[in-house]
């Protein structure tokens, strides 16, 4: 069953990290290096950056807060689900920033490597969607007018996330 297969994943094939802003863990090249394997022909990479506008407001920075042990556990669970549901032979890298980030800074990096492109693309998409919808991460946006507010969360944004 899917649940049984989830626990047979080699943890060495998963890298789940929480990092300070601009930390090496958020380097896309590092993520691609981790998911590279001589038997894999497919790699997919997602890089999420802080953007300057959100919901019609000018953003100057965001601040991410999270409960690190639970966030890492969630990232690992998402990777295990990808192994169980998409392909048993994957490598998955997930790193999310914690703290204050400026516009343009990298907030999240997800990469997947597999034997085939379709599996890598599907795994990467499944993991980033899980991070957005299930990980215990809170975002506070700081605006050009000096105000700030906590984001309502991805699950409340609909298709605009």
């Amino acid at each position: 069953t899917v649940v049984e297969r989830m626990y047979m994943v080699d943890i060495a094939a998963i890298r789940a990290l929480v990092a300070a802003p601009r930390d090496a863990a958020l380097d896309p090249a590092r993520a691609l290096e981790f998911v590279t394997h001589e038997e894999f022909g497919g790699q997919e990479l997602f890089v999420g950056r802080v953007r300057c506008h959100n919901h019609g407001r000018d953003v100057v920075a965001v601040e991410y807060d999270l409960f690190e042990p639970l966030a890492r556990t969630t990232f690992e669970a998402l990777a295990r689900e990808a192994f169980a549901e998409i392909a048993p032979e994957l490598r998955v890298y997930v790193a999310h920033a914690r703290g204050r980030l400026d516009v343009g800074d990298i907030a999240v990096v997800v990469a997947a490597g597999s034997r085939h492109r379709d599996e890598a693309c599907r795994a990467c998409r499944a993991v980033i969607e899980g991070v957005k919808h299930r990980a215990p991460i809170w975002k506070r946006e700081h605006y050009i007018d000096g105000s700030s507010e906590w984001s309502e969360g991805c699950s409340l944004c609909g298709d605009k996330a």
Side-chain angles (χ1 to χ4, degrees):
T1 68
V2 169
V3 173
E4 290 169 348
R5 289 193 337 232
M6 283 175 56
Y7 294 103
M8 295 171 25
V9 172
D10 178 6
I11 195 70
I14 300 171
R15 180 80 37 93
L17 306 164
V18 173
R22 294 166 291 286
D23 186 274
L26 294 166
D27 181 356
R30 187 173 183 179
L32 286 173
E33 181 180 329
F34 179 78
V35 301
T36 297
H37 188 282
E38 64 185 13
E39 294 183 13
F40 292 174
Q43 292 180 328
E44 182 77 358
L45 174 69
F46 174 82
V47 177
R49 293 181 180 270
V50 177
R51 60 183 179 263
C52 64
H53 298 288
N54 193 29
H55 298 294
R57 298 193 68 186
D58 292 331
V59 175
V60 295
V62 299
E63 183 179 345
Y64 288 101
D65 193 12
L66 51 85
F67 181 61
E68 188 169 338
L70 185 55
R72 282 197 327 266
T73 299
T74 302
F75 298 164
E76 289 173 5
L78 293 166
R80 289 177 188 276
E81 289 170 18
F83 281 84
E85 297 169 9
I86 297 168
E89 295 156 339
L90 288 170
R91 290 180 67 85
V92 176
Y93 184 101
V94 185
H96 201 290
R98 168 184 177 161
R100 187 178 172 106
L101 287 82
D102 296 324
V103 169
D105 284 346
I106 294 175
V108 61
V109 175
V110 176
S114 68
R115 292 182 185 271
H116 304 286
R117 126 189 119 250
D118 180 60
E119 295 163 348
C121 292
R122 288 177 26 225
C124 189
R125 179 66 184 243
V127 172
I128 188 57
E129 292 299 325
V131 168
K132 295 289 286 181
H133 291 277
R134 292 174 39 198
I137 300 170
W138 298 273
K139 178 173 80 169
R140 184 175 187 167
E141 293 182 329
H142 297 271
Y143 303 108
I144 199 163
D145 65 7
S147 67
S148 65
E149 65 183 49
W150 291 98
S151 173
E152 293 179 349
C154 184
S155 62
L156 301 176
C157 293
D159 293 333
K160 298 178 182 177

